[in-house]
Amino acid sequence: MKGLYIHIPFCVSKCFYCDFNSYAGKLYLAEPYVGAVLKEAQRFSGCEINTVYIGGGTPTALPCPEITRLISGIKKIFKISADAEFTVEMNPGTADGDYLKALKALGVNRISMGAQSFDDTLLKKIGRIHRSDDIFTAVRLCKEAGFENYSLDLMFSLPGQTLAVWADTIKKAVSLKPSHISAYGLKIEPGTPFYERGVKPLPDSLDREMYHLATDFFKSHGLNQYEISNFAILGKESRHNLKYWHCEEYIGLGAGAHGFISDNGKKIRYSNIKAVESYINKIGETGNAVSEKNILTENDIKTEKIIMGLRLTEGVPQELIPEEKAAFYIKNGFMKKNLNRVSFTEKGFDVSNTILSDLI
Amino acid sequence: MEYNQNKIRNFCIIAHIDHGKSTLADRLLEHTGSCSSRDMEEQLLDNMELERERGITIKARAVKLDYKAKDGTEYTYNLIDTPGHVDFNYEVSRSLAACEGAVLVVDAAQGIEAQTLANTYLAVEHNLEIVPVINKIDLPSARPDYVKNEIEDEIGLPAQDTPLISAKNDINIDAVLEQIKELIPPPAGDENAPLKALIFDSVYDSYRGVIVYIRIKEGSVRVGDRVRMMAHGSEFDVVEVGYMRPLGLEPTDVLRAGEVGYLTASIKNVSETSVGDTVTIAGNPTAEPLPGYRKAVPMVFSGVYPADGAKYPDLRDALEKLQLNDASLSFEPETSVALGFGFRCGFLGLLHMEIIQERLEREYNLDLITTAPSVIYKIGLTNGTEIMLDNPTNMPPPATIAYMEEPVVNASIITPNEYVGNIMELCQERRGIYKDMKYISGDRAELHYDLPLNEIIYDFFDAIKSRTKGYASFDYEMKGYMRSKLVKLDILLNGDMVDALSFIVHESKAYARARKIAEKLKDNIPRQLFEVPIQAAVGGKIIARETVRAMRKDVLAKCYGGDITRKKKLLEKQKEGKKRMRQVGSVAVPQEAFMAVLKFDE
């Protein structure tokens, strides 16, 4: 069973930190775009799927008829299992009761909400279209529509953010009783408005203080850390995202989408053309818009298992890590061993890239 | 053209850096029809890439030009290029010894500069006739009359007829060519005497072997002659003789007294054809070799290691190839605990060292780590024996040392008067002993100091330039050894000694330098998983300490929508970066950290 990721590259406006493949002011392309995605899906027709994730961009920026056509379409093309996890990402600024009810009726059973912060000054500063109140409203609408499984995305290390402001944000987030929280530290990526403006990252020490404050706080509220940036109540871990970290297969559809599939026994990672227009044209011509394709070697597969698996608190089977390296990192408190699995400690997560680059 | 000694002019060009030496050389080539501007690679004489970039000439080159004078007579002009740095002073003096005259290029706006003056004096010492020309005459800031006065006052040459030219814009070049004919005397020397030829340069060519550049002082040499290098003692059968032309070598039958040309004789290594040596005929030798031969002796030593240990054989090959062309470069294998396998290399001076390093990196595509340069110390042991030490790592235990001596040079610095104070201060900082000072013209002084060589090999040249706005010039020669209180400074990272960072320093400077190095290392060693103490020690006693704090954060928060490839690439890049660092015990040390300790004065 594979995962299915569908990318919706439309946003009402671009946030200042965002380097995702998404475009403001292109919603006029929604109809041909959905058509193209459904056409691309034909390549994988009949494939068995047990997780669907519609991400973006802002999927809920699509008009209701278009997202309805998209979801109905893929349900016909793929064999989606009855107990599949079906997530749609949502911007609290676009929350609408009827829209949510429509999603629910279509079989969506999980909402991932880009809350980011509960501080209006910060929300404005990072270019979000919503305000703190909108998050409360959006969560209420989700519940009214029948969604019990919803996740909140939060960001820390934002410019000007203080520990107190962050503490308030995580408190408010937890008060909304989400089943899942993702907490991401801001990274200033080239090409983003933040980067162009020369915005400086917060000091590493403050960044880590925020991070550890959150991990401790979430844990004490039953939201257990299961990945570097992800927390969930037991059993509500994102099954779709776990596929990434477990190096399982997923189909990626849409502009700039990534996929990981097998073909004749070969493991292939691919990604699609990023620009919306070119994607639509290419699909129209050939039904396929893959722009990059990597056939993984045995070594690549092993490397990926290590770098993705170690993002999880469950870690990886110990045979993946050279014994003397594992012993060294365990001895110094960066890793731990549990049964036959090796995983990072909290201290290890903080410097995980340095250690991962040593392990691959 | 028929050989006629009276129609030969052998000359070089003296100019301050940027004053237009290479451009003028190009024009002289063009105006003698030696090559057109189209087929002329820009600035032909400086044909090493590095030279052109640095705007300096490292090795002498020579070229033969045919000049038809205004009166219709045909002349042979031999233009001999000279290196322009104190490390190569000896090569300069040999180039000058091959000439009868020198064209002195002075910038019409800037006037005479210290370095030009020093080289002019050197030329006068060699009895060369000076032909001044004033260049860049078309600049708005040109002051030809002022500069003419300067030439008359400071050099003592009549300047009324000095050609006013622009090499860049091709103005009045013919006047220069005429002046060369008028002012520079033809060579003298008996064509029928036994051969006496000066080697002023040599280059290795993979087809012909060494090409020896010579100036025939007396006698002649032809193909088939058995020749002897008088200082070196080796003998060869001449395979080819000829002239250096702008676009290549031009073989001929015989070279006669007064001529400049080359010979080849299946010579395998430039070390057998040292600059300054005298070539004669083995069966009919000249009575006396030419004066002034000096073997090139390396004075500065440094460990040179490949950044990637696997490139050791490549480094050896590259050094061997460079040595074919540069007899003053020496090297032998050495091993460092921190850096693995490498070579102990000997250089003429710091610039020579930098040039070799750059050539290794550029021309041979090697990534290098070099250790702090060292001079050769003399160590008297308690058992009565004396050893010479060029590698601090090999310093014997202090208890076995009775005394130490360090090499000292006679330094002469010519500076505008206003900077005399700065120079004195600098020399004092460098433990210099003041000898004397004289005013050589209205506004220039020449200072003499005895300076320990180890104080000048790092950055003295740069320090002089920066404290005199580039106006001072500096020259030195070895004087001898002097007893000195020297200590070995060791660096420890996380408690482990890093042999490649050890160096020998005067006791009085140990503290300051230890602190400086510890700071520099702190700035250049990236944070690691652990805190890294940096310590500097003399004889086991810690005299400076810094700490690189442990890394707080290196984590990727998010993987974008299943984009695993991006994360993988990032980590692989990080791994590559780490590979380029040296593992010293538990500490990863980047190449820059090793290099940073070489620069004190910043």
Side-chain angles (χ1 to χ4, degrees), chain B residues 34-95:
Chain B
S34 301
C35 58
S36 73
S37 53
R38 226 174 321 134
D39 59 15
M40 183 176 68
E41 193 188 353
E42 208 186 327
Q43 301 185 353
L44 257 174
L45 284 179
D46 287 13
N47 53 16
M48 269 199 267
E49 186 191 348
L50 191 62
E51 291 180 17
R52 224 173 301 147
E53 247 172 64
R54 292 192 160 216
I56 54 171
T57 312
I58 299 158
K59 299 274 287 180
R61 293 283 185 280
V63 64
K64 179 183 178 220
L65 313 173
D66 302 322
Y67 175 59
K68 192 167 186 184
K70 284 194 175 138
D71 61 11
T73 326
E74 290 187 357
Y75 286 84
T76 295
Y77 279 12
N78 290 307
L79 167 56
I80 296 170
D81 205 11
T82 56
H85 187 275
V86 60
D87 279 2
F88 303 104
N89 246 8
Y90 178 66
E91 279 78 359
V92 176
S93 80
R94 291 310 86 191
S95 299

Side-chain angles (χ1 to χ4, degrees), chain B residues 11-38:
Chain B
F11 64 97
C12 57
I13 303 176
I14 297 173
H16 187 73
I17 205 156
D18 299 336
H19 281 197
K21 177 162 98 170
S22 300
T23 321
L24 177 59
D26 290 347
R27 290 290 170 245
L28 296 182
L29 262 58
E30 270 177 44
H31 279 255
T32 52
S34 301
C35 58
S36 73
S37 53
R38 226 174 321 134

Side-chain angles (χ1 to χ4, degrees), chain B residues 31 60 84 95 97 107 125 135 138 159 167 191 245 321 478 504 524:
Chain B
H31 279 255
S95 299
D107 187 299
E125 265 175 45
N135 192 21
D138 51 348
E191 185 196 348
R245 288 299 204 167
K321 282 192 188 124
M478 271 301 284
I504 289 168
N524 281 280

Side-chain angles (χ1 to χ4, degrees), chain B residues 344-551:
Chain B
R344 194 79 192 158
C345 297
F347 308 97
L348 294 176
L350 207 65
L351 181 77
H352 186 219
M353 172 172 136
E354 280 174 21
I355 287 166
I356 295 291
Q357 281 167 9
E358 273 195 56
R359 291 191 64 188
L360 287 170
E361 295 192 332
R362 271 193 219 191
E363 295 168 29
Y364 297 92
N365 209 9
L366 291 162
D367 225 343
L368 301 177
I369 298 176
T370 48
T371 65
S374 172
V375 300
I376 303 182
Y377 297 97
K378 203 185 272 183
I379 302 182
L381 299 174
T382 46
N383 66 13
T385 57
E386 216 170 52
I387 58 167
M388 304 302 276
L389 181 80
D390 68 30
N391 186 347
T393 312
N394 300 333
M395 180 144 142
T400 66
I401 296 175
Y403 61 87
M404 284 182 77
E405 292 184 3
E406 65 178 323
V408 179
V409 300
N410 278 325
S412 104
I413 300 156
I414 299 177
T415 175
N417 290 347
E418 56 196 295
Y419 303 118
V420 164
N422 291 358
I423 292 293
M424 287 183 152
E425 198 178 63
L426 175 67
C427 290
Q428 218 155 358
E429 282 167 23
R430 302 299 176 107
R431 299 190 284 127
I433 297 165
Y434 173 83
K435 289 291 168 192
D436 59 53
M437 177 173 81
K438 59 179 185 238
Y439 288 94
I440 48 177
S441 68
D443 56 359
R444 269 162 226 273
E446 181 173 3
L447 294 92
H448 288 105
Y449 271 86
D450 284 355
L451 276 162
L453 184 60
N454 89 355
E455 295 286 347
I456 61 175
I457 56 172
Y458 297 94
D459 54 1
F460 190 69
F461 196 63
D462 294 339
I464 284 188
K465 293 284 169 201
S466 75
R467 293 187 199 202
T468 62
K469 296 192 173 140
Y471 277 100
S473 74
F474 164 58
D475 187 16
Y476 64 83
E477 58 184 22
M478 271 301 284
K479 181 178 178 183
Y481 275 80
M482 168 180 90
R483 287 245 173 144
S484 194
K485 288 228 170 210
L486 299 161
V487 292
K488 179 173 158 234
L489 186 66
D490 294 318
I491 302 294
L492 295 87
L493 292 181
N494 209 15
D496 296 324
M497 191 169 110
V498 189
D499 57 357
L501 292 177
S502 294
F503 61 96
I504 289 168
V505 59
H506 192 259
E507 197 183 50
S508 66
K509 300 205 147 179
Y511 275 92
R513 202 152 284 183
R515 270 200 303 277
K516 191 101 194 171
I517 287 191
E519 276 168 29
K520 288 229 166 175
L521 285 172
K522 188 193 170 186
D523 294 343
N524 281 280
I525 294 176
R527 292 187 170 197
Q528 325 243 323
L529 294 176
F530 312 89
E531 184 175 286
V532 178
I534 300 165
Q535 295 163 303
V538 167
K541 189 180 158 219
I542 307 296
I543 60 171
R545 187 194 155 104
E546 292 280 345
T547 306
V548 179
R549 296 195 13 232
M551 176 193 296

Side-chain angles (χ1 to χ4, degrees), chain A residues 19-20 184-185 189 205 207-208 229 250 258 304 307 311 328-329 332 349-354 357 360, chain B residues 529-530 551-568 571-572 574-575:
Chain A
D19 76 333
F20 288 21
Y184 300 116
E189 299 281 359
S205 52
D207 173 282
R208 288 298 93 185
S229 307
Y250 53 94
H258 291 256
E304 292 184 356
I307 66 175
R311 293 186 67 85
F328 172 80
Y329 289 118
N332 290 290
F349 274 147
D350 288 346
V351 291
S352 51
N353 279 355
T354 302
S357 66
I360 60 174
Chain B
L529 294 176
F530 312 89
M551 176 193 296
R552 283 301 303 266
K553 180 197 149 194
D554 181 22
V555 56
L556 207 63
K558 187 166 187 172
C559 300
Y560 305 93
D563 185 358
I564 279 75
T565 313
R566 175 163 161 177
K567 178 169 170 69
K568 190 167 65 186
L571 289 171
E572 276 164 355
Q574 194 166 348
K575 190 185 178 70

